[in-house]
Amino acid sequence: MIDTRYMRIYERLLGAYGPRGWWPVTPPGETVPRYTGGPRTPRQRFEVAAGAVLTQNTAWANASRAIERLNTLGAMSPAAIRDMDERALAEAIRPAGYYNQKAKRLKILAAFFLEGGKRSRAALLALHGVGPETADSILLYAWNIPVFVIDAYTRRMFGRLGLVPESADYDEAQAAFAGNLPRSAGLYREYHALIVEHGKRACKKVPVCKKCLLKTACALYLSSGKRTSIARSG
Ligand code: SF4
């Protein structure tokens, strides 16, 4: 039986925040990624994949700065990254942090794209430095394949809502969304972006529950004993 709360939460978030416009990619002739409807060209799809690696363990703003620097150097393509000296690549992406590690990962990703690697989760997970969240971000946002991306915001928020147990592993959490939502890449893209938005605005490490638009559906907020302390923390 489908749990309709997943869809109702989506609708409530969408109603409050509107479409988030994710994932930003660099339009032709520009250097800064911005949302224009998602990737349309092979180069833009590679940029999404590179962005998924660059944003590992850092905020998108830092990854975006690294992408801008690669664009300025004319280096945002699989061939350019393959041909670039690894130390120069690391220097170019320095704003994204872990730049030596990420330079290696970008080189591996570039080789994968140049070899025409299979568009599958298994193929991506076989690449060094690509875990489930990165792989699913590439599948969903670069290739339009309907897989739900699970990240720290999703786990925190849906754990508190009482929908996905904190003990659930990545695949179990993902299955909860897949089992309770229509299979749609567009829906999954928007929903993930809305979760991130709500995680930044309200369901933070210390949640701001008082004004949360989901509080009437939130197990943590409604649970006795914790309600007072959470409300005070807002
Ligand atoms: S009520 Fe609080 S804990 Fe629940 S979803 Fe909202 S911000 Fe998060």
Side-chain angles (χ1 to χ4, degrees):
M1 180 122 118
I2 288 187
D3 186 337
T4 58
R5 287 177 295 176
Y6 285 82
M7 200 62 197
R8 280 187 279 133
I9 287 168
Y10 169 75
E11 284 162 357
R12 221 181 275 186
L13 292 173
L14 184 63
Y17 301 134
R20 302 317 306 147
W22 198 256
W23 187 291
V25 289
T26 308
E30 300 183 21
T31 56
V32 181
R34 63 187 174 90
Y35 185 71
T36 53
R40 293 195 180 86
T41 65
R43 197 209 64 79
Q44 288 178 327
R45 277 187 274 280
F46 176 71
E47 184 182 310
V48 172
V53 167
L54 289 168
T55 199
Q56 290 172 339
N57 301 310
T58 194
W60 172 254
N62 299 328
S64 183
R65 286 217 305 280
I67 291 171
E68 186 181 347
R69 285 165 65 125
L70 287 173
N71 284 332
T72 303
L73 292 168
M76 181 50 88
S77 73
I81 285 181
R82 175 199 59 196
D83 295 343
M84 206 169 172
D85 175 76
E86 193 169 309
R87 276 174 303 179
L89 176 58
E91 185 53 37
I93 62 169
R94 184 182 274 266
Y98 303 98
Y99 44 90
N100 289 322
Q101 187 185 71
K102 288 179 181 178
K104 284 190 200 322
R105 293 179 181 184
L106 285 185
K107 288 236 171 225
I108 291 167
L109 195 65
F112 177 80
F113 271 71
L114 286 167
E115 289 157 9
K118 201 171 167 205
R119 293 184 177 190
S120 77
R121 195 165 193 256
L124 288 169
L125 287 175
L127 302 178
H128 172 72
V130 174
E133 184 185 335
T134 304
D136 289 343
S137 295
I138 295 170
L139 291 169
L140 180 63
Y141 288 101
W143 294 333
N144 198 34
I145 295 170
V147 288
F148 205 93
V149 177
I150 303 296
D151 66 357
Y153 290 111
T154 314
R155 287 179 171 285
R156 185 167 73 201
M157 182 172 147
F158 280 76
R160 289 168 174 174
L161 285 164
L163 288 171
V164 179
E166 283 182 24
S167 58
D169 65 18
Y170 188 99
D171 291 347
E172 288 166 345
Q174 189 175 56
F177 285 89
N180 291 297
L181 292 170
R183 193 166 183 270
S184 158
L187 171 68
Y188 290 1
R189 278 196 293 271
E190 195 59 61
Y191 205 156
H192 174 67
L194 288 164
I195 289 169
V196 172
E197 190 67 29
H198 194 63
K200 287 178 179 168
R201 292 201 199 195
C203 206
K204 309 176 188 189
K205 275 187 190 154
V206 178
V208 185
C209 299
K210 253 187 194 170
K211 294 182 181 170
C212 176
L213 56 123
L214 301 177
K215 67 183 176 192
T216 55
C218 180
L220 181 58
Y221 181 75
L222 296 173
S223 64
S224 58
K226 290 190 172 177
R227 181 173 181 156
T228 307
S229 60
I230 290 168
R232 276 184 190 152
S233 73

